[in-house]
């Protein structure tokens, strides 16, 4: 396998988010030292017409860093420009995670010292890569086996095919660290269905296994034991058409019975309640709806929301409302503004401190309550940051199968 040269830095990631009965019980994120063989943080291979990207930081749950982004992006362009390329496969090494997240500690460390450029640089290049994946000229297949959160979602959900397994764990838990569901979350979350997307975004709830497919995050599900055979069959295809690739993926999907006996979304037990409570014009109204619901489930959601950053909750609610009306490029450009503001605020650095640095799980949010988060404060996250050039992801890198086809739960 060929590797690219490292330009990496020490990064921190979300390692895992554990829930019990739908409650956020802990967010565990930790800093991992970069491997002494930093050139190997992402691997590239070419088998026939297939380009294969392997995220190769298994001890860090394949956390995405700027070094990896700067290797992956040009390689995708190189493969796309080669007419012999038939597909691009993205996967993670180690068997535990596809990609558990991205850089949070290093960019908040820099922000606390007044260096906001590091975070802006990371967001900008990550969002460019997300957009590149969404508009890939050749079939892009993400094998999302294991933990897939944050930055890992951005590397997968915008692609033509997302293949989950019984081990897949999907979540966007950013409101718990004073951030927001970025990497295009404002685009894909509302398109899962307005109530489900809002619920996942505000609470950080985890979807697992077949539910990742049922929600529309994945396009196929296969058993993890069959992934090597699926990959081997895909790369052995000489000059496949898109339909022939889809036919192979569909066959493996249909042969996977894991979870099929429970042919409904796990959230379906509460879907009507989610719809009643989370389709609301404000976060305050969501609280009111949950209180009126009066169930044990509703009480659990209130307890979860009470742990999140009040500012993040209001910004995320607005973000998804806006994103439902925007194209992906517009969403990413909006998210860059939000991210730039988060770098300069209290809650993002404080949330990372509480979850990753001191691990006391006791962030001091400012403002502390929803009532103190004014409309003017929320508006400021969506306005240009003084002195910062807005992100522009527009280019000629467009493709007719632009990802407007996320499954929707109606």
């Amino acid at each position: 396998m060929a590797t690219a040269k490292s330009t990496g830095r020490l990064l921190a990631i979300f390692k895992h988010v554990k829930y019990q009965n739908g409650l956020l019980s802990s967010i565990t994120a930790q800093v991992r030292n970069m491997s002494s063989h930093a050139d190997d943080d992402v691997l590239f291979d070419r088998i026939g017409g297939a380009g294969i990207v392997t995220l190769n930081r298994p001890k860090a749950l394949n956390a995405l860093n700027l070094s990896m982004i700067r290797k992956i992006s040009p390689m995708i362009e190189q493969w796309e420009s080669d007419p012999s390329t038939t597909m691009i496969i993205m996967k993670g090494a180690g068997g535990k995670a596809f990609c558990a997240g991205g850089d949070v500690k290093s960019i908040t460390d820099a922000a606390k010292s007044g260096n906001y450029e590091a975070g802006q640089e990371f967001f900008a290049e990550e969002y460019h890569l997300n957009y590149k994946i969404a508009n890939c000229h050749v079939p892009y297949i993400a094998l999302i086996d294991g933990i897939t959160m944050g930055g890992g979602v951005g590397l997968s959900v915008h692609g033509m095919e997302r293949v989950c397994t019984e081990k897949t764990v999907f979540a966007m838990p950013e409101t718990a660290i004073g951030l927001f569901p970025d990497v295009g979350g404002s685009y894909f979350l509302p398109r899962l269905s307005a109530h489900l997307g809002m619920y996942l975004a505000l609470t950080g709830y985890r979807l697992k296994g077949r539910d990742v497919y049922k929600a529309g995050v994945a396009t196929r599900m296969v058993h993890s034991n069959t992934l090597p055979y699926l990959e081997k069959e895909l790369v052995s295809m000489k000059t496949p058409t898109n339909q022939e690739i889809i036919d192979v993926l569909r066959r493996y999907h249909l042969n996977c019975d894991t979870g099929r006996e429970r042919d409904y979304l796990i959230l379906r037990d509460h879907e009507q309640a989610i719809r009643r409570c989370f389709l609301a014009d404000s976060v305050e109204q969501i609280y009111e709806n949950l209180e009126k619901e009066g169930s044990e489930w509703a009480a659990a959601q209130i307890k979860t929301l009470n742990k999140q950053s009040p500012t993040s909750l209001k910004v995320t609610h607005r973000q998804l409302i806006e994103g439902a009306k925007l194209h992906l490029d517009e969403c990413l450009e909006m998210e860059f503004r939000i991210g730039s503001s988060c770098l300069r605020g209290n809650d993002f650095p404080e949330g990372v401190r509480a979850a990753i640095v001191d691990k006391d799980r006791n962030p001091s949010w400012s403002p502390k309550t929803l009532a103190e988060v004014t409309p003017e404060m929320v508006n400021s996250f969506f306005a240009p940051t003084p002195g910062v050039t807005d992100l522009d992801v527009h280019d000629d890198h467009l493709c007719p199968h632009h990802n407007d086809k996320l499954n929707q739960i109606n």
Side-chain angles (χ1 to χ4, degrees):
M1 284 189 175
T3 64
K5 293 183 178 179
S6 171
T7 56
R9 65 178 74 163
L10 181 65
L11 297 180
I13 63 164
F14 293 121
K15 178 182 177 184
H16 208 157
V17 183
K18 297 182 180 179
Y19 287 79
Q20 295 175 347
N21 300 324
L23 286 172
L24 176 63
S25 61
S26 68
I27 293 182
T28 306
Q30 64 188 58
V31 181
R32 298 285 191 177
N33 289 324
M34 292 287 288
S35 167
S36 58
H37 302 288
D39 282 355
D40 295 337
D41 56 5
V42 58
L43 306 175
F44 302 102
D45 200 5
R46 181 68 180 241
I47 302 178
I52 303 171
V53 183
T54 304
L55 308 173
N56 192 41
R57 301 182 64 213
K59 292 183 178 179
L61 300 178
N62 298 321
L64 182 67
N65 59 35
L66 190 58
S67 164
M68 298 161 75
I69 292 170
R70 288 178 171 173
K71 296 167 186 174
I72 295 169
S73 190
M75 185 58 73
I76 288 178
E77 289 186 2
Q78 178 181 322
W79 281 336
E80 282 188 292
S81 65
D82 182 350
S84 68
T85 301
T86 58
M87 70 188 75
I88 295 173
I89 297 173
M90 176 78 70
K91 62 180 182 176
K96 292 184 178 180
F98 170 71
C99 175
D103 184 338
V104 287
K105 183 179 182 297
S106 64
I107 62 176
T108 53
D109 282 348
K112 285 187 287 188
S113 66
N115 174 13
Y116 307 117
E117 288 76 16
Q120 290 163 189
E121 181 180 49
F122 181 85
F123 288 145
E125 297 195 33
E126 182 180 29
Y127 298 171
H128 271 288
L129 177 56
N130 299 152
Y131 191 65
K132 191 186 304 294
I133 289 169
N135 295 288
C136 191
H137 292 316
V138 298
Y140 180 97
I141 305 164
L143 305 179
I144 52 174
D145 183 35
I147 300 168
T148 304
M149 299 183 184
V153 176
L155 291 178
S156 55
V157 75
H158 303 297
M160 186 183 87
E161 293 282 352
R162 294 91 62 191
V163 182
C164 72
T165 74
E166 78 285 355
K167 299 193 302 180
T168 303
V169 179
F170 163 91
M172 296 295 285
E174 289 82 0
T175 57
I177 61 162
L179 195 57
F180 64 101
D182 66 337
V183 297
S186 50
Y187 180 81
F188 70 81
L189 285 168
R191 288 163 176 81
L192 299 180
S193 72
H195 59 288
L196 178 57
M198 188 67 73
Y199 176 71
L200 296 174
L202 296 182
T203 66
Y205 186 87
R206 291 193 305 170
L207 296 175
K208 294 185 284 186
R210 185 165 290 276
D211 297 317
V212 180
Y213 165 72
K214 283 293 186 181
V217 174
T219 57
R220 316 283 173 190
M221 180 178 178
V222 306
H223 196 282
S224 58
N225 290 343
T226 68
L227 278 178
Y229 304 102
L230 170 61
E231 183 179 341
K232 182 177 180 180
E233 184 166 347
L234 286 171
V235 302
S236 68
M237 302 173 79
K238 299 303 181 182
T239 55
T241 63
N242 287 5
Q243 187 58 53
E244 287 171 337
I245 293 172
I246 290 171
D247 288 344
V248 170
L249 293 170
R250 180 182 292 131
R251 173 158 45 82
Y252 276 80
H253 170 76
L254 293 175
N255 287 337
C256 177
D257 292 327
T258 305
R260 197 179 295 277
E261 70 281 357
R262 181 178 48 77
D263 194 22
Y264 57 87
L265 189 68
I266 192 170
L267 296 176
R268 196 74 75 186
D269 290 343
H270 301 291
E271 187 180 3
Q272 292 306 312
I274 292 172
R275 189 187 298 270
R276 286 192 298 269
C277 295
F278 284 84
L279 277 181
D281 293 332
S282 68
V283 179
E284 289 89 346
Q285 187 179 337
I286 290 173
Y287 268 89
E288 292 175 7
N289 293 342
L290 288 167
E291 289 168 358
K292 290 178 183 177
E293 193 73 16
S295 64
E296 181 179 344
W297 171 85
Q301 308 319 305
I302 292 174
K303 186 175 180 181
T304 296
L305 293 173
N306 284 341
K307 297 178 182 179
Q308 321 296 56
S309 157
T311 301
S312 289
L313 290 177
K314 284 199 171 183
V315 168
T316 297
H317 183 273
R318 163 85 175 271
Q319 170 202 354
L320 265 63
I321 297 295
E322 297 289 339
K325 301 174 287 187
L326 302 176
H327 296 295
L328 176 60
D329 52 356
E330 297 169 312
C331 286
L332 291 167
E333 290 162 3
M334 175 180 69
E335 290 175 11
F336 182 77
R337 287 186 176 184
I338 302 173
S340 296
S341 293
C342 287
L343 291 168
R344 290 162 171 79
N346 168 83
D347 284 9
F348 184 27
E350 172 61 13
V352 171
R353 178 207 64 76
I356 297 172
V357 181
D358 299 334
K359 300 181 181 179
D360 57 26
R361 307 293 187 266
N362 187 30
S364 178
W365 304 127
S366 180
K368 293 183 180 296
T369 67
L370 286 174
E372 295 174 277
V373 183
T374 67
E376 291 75 21
M377 291 178 184
V378 175
N379 289 341
S380 70
F381 283 82
F382 295 83
T385 301
V388 177
T389 302
D390 277 342
L391 179 67
D392 182 2
V393 298
H394 292 97
D395 56 25
D396 295 327
H397 203 78
L398 299 175
C399 180
H401 65 247
H402 188 284
N403 190 32
D404 266 314
K405 58 187 181 305
L406 286 170
N407 300 334
Q408 297 199 20
I409 308 298
N410 296 315

